[in-house]
Amino acid sequence: MTTHVAFGLGLAGLLSSYARCSMDCWILSLIVSASINLIVDLVGHRSRLMKPPIRTRVTHSLPGIVVLSLAVSYVTVRGIILPPRESFWLYVIGVVSGLSHWLLDALNPGGVYIVRRRFRLARIPYYSLVWNTALQMLGGAMLLYSLTMLYK
């Protein structure tokens, strides 16, 4: 879960900085990204005794992750007054954050769902210290770089 959140935060920060969003939009994009990643992990797994959790089709299929991402983005944007351009970018960032979670899960042995079948890009173990640390550091680097882009 930490890897998904760290990578998603970096990606959200980078996209909002690239879109030249305000600081408010930048902070909201981080909230949207973290919320999506946490909801997918909390809602999208069935636990099993002494085994890794099983992913559900609801949040680990392409349509499911896109709908969930749009819903979380809508709830966030609806309550706050932002310029239309920044609201649009929050929706885009929300969907990209959800898709990044989906892509990272496709690297694990459990894979993701594509048309009722499991699909995986690689068989990187869930608890690989090297891969998780590398992806978390990449997320942190993207987040720090996005901060430097905000003040240019």
Side-chain angles (χ1 to χ4, degrees):
M1 183 181 333
T2 308
T3 302
H4 290 297
V5 173
F7 189 80
L9 288 175
L11 196 58
L14 203 59
L15 282 173
S16 60
S17 294
Y18 173 75
R20 302 278 186 222
C21 287
S22 65
M23 181 60 89
D24 294 337
C25 179
W26 187 82
I27 291 169
L28 283 173
S29 72
L30 300 183
I31 292 169
V32 166
S33 177
S35 299
I36 288 169
N37 283 301
L38 291 172
I39 290 170
V40 168
D41 273 338
L42 294 175
V43 174
H45 294 95
R46 286 184 293 150
S47 60
R48 301 182 301 171
L49 188 61
M50 304 300 289
K51 293 183 181 178
I54 297 174
R55 294 181 176 106
T56 62
R57 285 188 178 100
V58 174
T59 59
H60 287 84
S61 65
L62 190 55
I65 199 75
V66 170
V67 168
L68 178 72
S69 300
L70 287 172
V72 171
S73 299
Y74 174 76
V75 168
T76 305
V77 170
R78 185 172 170 254
I80 296 170
I81 299 171
L82 287 173
R85 185 182 73 78
E86 291 187 352
S87 296
F88 168 77
W89 275 104
L90 278 177
Y91 284 109
V92 170
I93 290 164
V95 171
V96 170
S97 293
L99 291 175
S100 74
H101 187 112
W102 192 71
L103 178 67
L104 291 176
D105 278 347
L107 297 173
N108 290 327
V112 293
Y113 291 97
I114 297 182
V115 191
R116 297 185 183 169
R117 299 190 76 180
R118 284 194 182 267
F119 172 77
R120 63 184 143 267
L121 292 171
R123 290 183 181 253
I124 299 169
Y126 295 102
Y127 304 110
S128 170
L129 184 62
V130 172
W131 279 99
N132 285 327
T133 303
L135 289 170
Q136 289 170 12
M137 289 177 68
L138 179 60
M142 288 189 294
L143 191 61
L144 288 175
Y145 181 70
S146 74
L147 276 172
T148 63
M149 287 176 60
L150 278 176
Y151 293 109
K152 281 189 177 183

